[in-house]
Amino acid sequence: QVQVVESGGGLVQAGGSLRLSCTASGLTFDDSAMGWFRQGSGKEREGVACISWSGGSTYYADSVKGRFTISRDNAKNSVYLQMTSLKPEDTAMYYCAAAYSADLSTDWDAADFGYWGQGTQVTVSS
């Protein structure tokens, strides 16, 4: 049984930083690209960042480029999202997901991902 569990969300002031963590079990972690998505209240789900199985390729939404960094540690079955210079518009539930494949292309989206966590809330106050 595949489990994906996020942690690290919380309340932070604008301009602050947070680091989200995600651990996946029940799958061959280094056979899977991993991604972070978010959904704000009343908004559609948005792909934030994704990373290939090796960490050699990363992709980011334009809204977070230069502020967020995705990384992974295959020895720990974990993926991370370092978020800096946070803005109130970053407020959302953040979800970690495991992809069906090891690599993704530049047009990656939620359909590429088969296993999802329950989410961790990030709230950025102004």
Side-chain angles (χ1 to χ4, degrees):
Q1 181 181 359
V2 177
Q3 285 192 317
V4 179
V5 180
E6 307 95 336
S7 61
L11 173 64
V12 63
Q13 287 188 330
S17 300
L18 276 177
R19 187 192 193 213
L20 305 184
S21 299
C22 168
T23 300
S25 60
L27 51 73
T28 304
F29 188 76
D30 53 10
D31 279 349
S32 297
M34 298 294 294
W36 287 97
F37 295 77
R38 67 185 182 186
Q39 188 166 18
S41 179
K43 298 181 180 179
E44 292 189 354
R45 181 173 51 189
E46 173 189 22
V48 175
C50 67
I51 186 167
S52 64
W53 72 275
S54 66
S57 297
T58 56
Y59 303 102
Y60 295 92
D62 288 343
S63 57
V64 305
K65 279 181 183 176
R67 299 188 299 122
F68 290 11
T69 302
I70 189 171
S71 61
R72 66 188 292 159
D73 184 342
N74 288 349
K76 296 182 178 180
N77 280 22
S78 295
V79 62
Y80 309 98
L81 186 68
Q82 179 67 50
M83 306 184 294
T84 63
S85 302
L86 283 161
K87 305 174 181 179
E89 51 262 44
D90 294 318
T91 295
M93 185 70 79
Y94 282 71
Y95 299 91
C96 177
Y100 292 113
S101 62
D103 291 296
L104 296 169
S105 61
T106 55
D107 62 349
W108 63 282
D109 63 23
D112 295 315
F113 295 79
Y115 303 101
W116 295 79
Q118 294 298 306
T120 186
Q121 178 69 37
V122 172
T123 302
V124 184
S125 63
S126 57

